[in-house]
Amino acid sequence: GSIANQLFHQVMFDKCLYTLTKCLPRELRKRKKAHAQSSQPSARRTRKKGKSCRNDNSSMEEMLEEEEEEDGEDVYLSKEDLLQVRNAVFLLLKNLLRLLPKFSLKEKPQCIQNCLQVLVEMTSLEPVLHEFKFSAAMDVNKAKYIPELAYYGLYLLCSSLHDTEDKTLRGMFQRLLGVVLMVQSRGGPRREALPITAAVTSARDQAVKFISFLVDELKEAVYPVLRILLQHICAKVPDKAEYRSSAAQALVTLLDKFPCAEFADFIAWLYKFSLNLQVSYRVFALDVALALLELPERNPDTSLPQDRQKFLKHKFLVQVMVFGRCSDIAPVVRSKALSSFVHCLEMKAAATLESI
């Protein structure tokens, strides 16, 4: 915009913002691959034509090969070039973080949503060699990693300078859901499970730690949105054992941030969820119940109603949520419940053994 007239140009801001994603080395590699793949079907289609078109076909194939080579030359970058691009992205992100504490986007909700989209994408841009700590007063000049800066940017967007309601938190958690579940969007509601690699699991762990940090910082303000996030984890986890186990651990880590009242309310909801007609829901509820048994049993607050106190007990998890599913109509759920009950028998926790 205009510094002299203190005007904000939203379109220009968005263009600068998307520069962070358009010049990423990862995108360049994908682009090269996409060009190579897109040329193959064209070549196949030309081969299907009659003999009279053979000369045209051969010349077309040569043109496609030349275009592919040109495309390869356009997007090829050496290691030094990639490092320069990475450092340029790092500096641009720093400049964005210097702007966010000083300039309010409260009246520009679309800019906030665009910031969320870009920053969440950048949280898994590069591997983090050394663990970093989240802080409410971070010195951007001491940051070493792009994900470190991206998470600080997400934290800044949660401040009252930019958002007086929970719209930013909702949008942020909606986008972080895919990172926690280790899936990526394929347009619309479709999500595809990512291969479980060290980079993917590292990004998941960072996302869970960041959400935990937000809960510690924002307290009661984040509880309703966190509850929605946990419900979405239950409903959208991929129906594969590794992903269910990972999601259950993440869910329990975040659920443990709740005070007793909110914790009991969610367990009550989880019990209803475990009775759902969808088999995958009932299976995942068993994974969560097992993960919850790893936590120490909570002592109920005096303010918690008597009928809600049972949801804090391991006895409820073992006798109702695990053993109660051993007679489930679905063989998959019965098998999972029986193996879960065997796992309960092997646990050393006194509360769990007493429940059995």
Side-chain angles (χ1 to χ4, degrees):
S2 170
I3 297 177
N5 299 318
Q6 295 185 346
L7 295 177
F8 177 77
H9 198 301
Q10 182 171 333
V11 176
M12 185 63 68
F13 176 81
D14 289 341
K15 284 186 177 293
C16 293
L17 188 65
Y18 282 115
T19 302
L20 289 166
T21 59
K22 295 301 181 184
C23 64
L24 300 181
R26 179 177 59 182
E27 291 294 324
L28 290 173
R29 287 197 292 271
K30 285 183 180 178
R31 183 178 154 204
K32 181 177 180 180
K33 184 178 179 181
H35 280 303
Q37 290 176 345
S38 64
S39 65
Q40 291 175 2
S42 300
R44 290 195 198 101
R45 285 195 296 269
T46 56
R47 292 191 193 103
K48 292 181 181 178
K49 294 183 179 180
K51 294 181 180 179
S52 61
C53 299
R54 282 182 180 175
N55 292 334
D56 293 337
N57 289 344
S58 60
S59 61
M60 179 63 71
E61 288 175 2
E62 290 175 1
M63 289 173 61
L64 288 170
E65 289 175 359
E66 289 175 0
E67 288 178 2
E68 186 175 336
E69 290 174 0
E70 290 175 0
D71 288 336
E73 291 175 0
D74 289 341
V75 299
Y76 175 76
L77 292 174
S78 65
K79 291 182 179 180
E80 292 76 12
D81 294 332
L82 291 174
L83 183 59
Q84 287 183 0
V85 173
R86 183 265 175 199
N87 291 338
V89 170
F90 189 76
L91 291 175
L92 180 56
L93 187 54
K94 274 187 176 181
N95 288 333
L96 174 64
L97 298 190
R98 292 189 180 102
L99 173 69
L100 290 180
K102 300 175 182 178
F103 185 81
S104 175
L105 297 175
K106 189 179 296 184
E107 303 300 326
K108 304 161 186 68
Q110 188 57 49
C111 286
I112 292 180
Q113 294 303 316
N114 293 339
C115 282
L116 290 176
Q117 179 181 340
V118 170
L119 290 174
V120 169
E121 185 175 340
M122 302 194 75
T123 59
S124 54
L125 172 63
E126 65 180 5
V128 176
L129 301 180
H130 302 287
E131 185 178 353
F132 58 86
K133 294 183 179 180
F134 300 104
S135 172
M138 174 185 170
D139 185 356
V140 296
N141 294 317
K142 294 182 179 180
K144 297 181 179 179
Y145 305 107
I146 289 177
E148 186 178 4
L149 291 176
Y151 276 118
Y152 183 58
L154 291 174
Y155 172 74
L156 292 176
L157 289 174
C158 294
S159 69
S160 58
L161 180 67
H162 302 290
D163 186 28
T164 54
E165 302 177 4
D166 59 4
K167 291 182 180 178
T168 300
L169 276 173
R170 288 174 182 269
M172 184 187 305
F173 284 1
Q174 180 183 1
R175 289 169 173 82
L176 286 175
L177 175 65
V179 183
V180 174
L181 294 180
M182 299 186 294
V183 299
Q184 64 180 358
S185 176
R186 283 298 183 187
R190 292 183 57 193
R191 292 175 180 268
E192 179 181 323
L194 293 169
I196 300 180
T197 62
V200 171
T201 55
S202 175
R204 174 206 61 198
D205 294 342
Q206 290 169 20
V208 172
K209 289 177 182 177
F210 174 70
I211 296 171
S212 299
F213 163 73
L214 277 184
V215 177
D216 292 337
E217 289 291 318
L218 303 179
K219 306 294 183 184
E220 293 83 0
V222 77
Y223 292 161
V225 188
L226 179 60
R227 176 186 170 92
I228 295 172
L229 173 66
L230 299 183
Q231 290 172 337
H232 277 274
I233 289 176
C234 292
K236 296 182 179 179
V237 59
D239 191 18
K240 298 178 182 178
E242 302 90 342
Y243 295 87
R244 288 199 308 266
S245 177
S246 169
Q249 291 296 332
L251 185 146
V252 168
T253 300
L254 297 174
L255 180 59
D256 197 34
K257 292 290 180 179
F258 276 145
C260 285
E262 285 77 8
F263 186 94
D265 287 343
F266 188 83
I267 299 299
W269 177 88
L270 184 67
Y271 172 62
K272 294 178 182 178
F273 178 82
S274 71
L275 303 177
N276 193 283
L277 293 176
Q278 192 161 328
V279 172
S280 61
Y281 288 2
R282 304 204 296 274
V283 172
F284 183 66
L286 288 167
D287 282 308
V288 177
L290 282 184
L292 284 167
L293 288 171
E294 300 289 342
L295 297 178
E297 187 173 271
R298 291 195 176 201
N299 295 318
D301 295 335
T302 54
S303 60
L304 193 65
Q306 192 70 28
D307 62 331
R308 311 299 283 180
Q309 292 183 11
K310 66 178 182 180
F311 296 116
L312 302 181
K313 301 294 184 181
H314 283 186
K315 178 180 179 180
F316 178 81
L317 297 173
V318 174
Q319 295 184 359
V320 178
M321 293 196 64
V322 176
F323 189 71
R325 291 293 95 207
C326 290
S327 57
D328 195 280
I329 191 173
V332 175
V333 181
R334 283 202 308 272
S335 174
K336 177 69 176 179
L338 288 169
S339 63
S340 300
F341 191 67
V342 170
H343 182 74
C344 292
L345 291 170
E346 296 172 349
M347 296 179 71
K348 304 296 183 182
T352 305
L353 294 175
E354 183 182 349
S355 301
I356 295 172

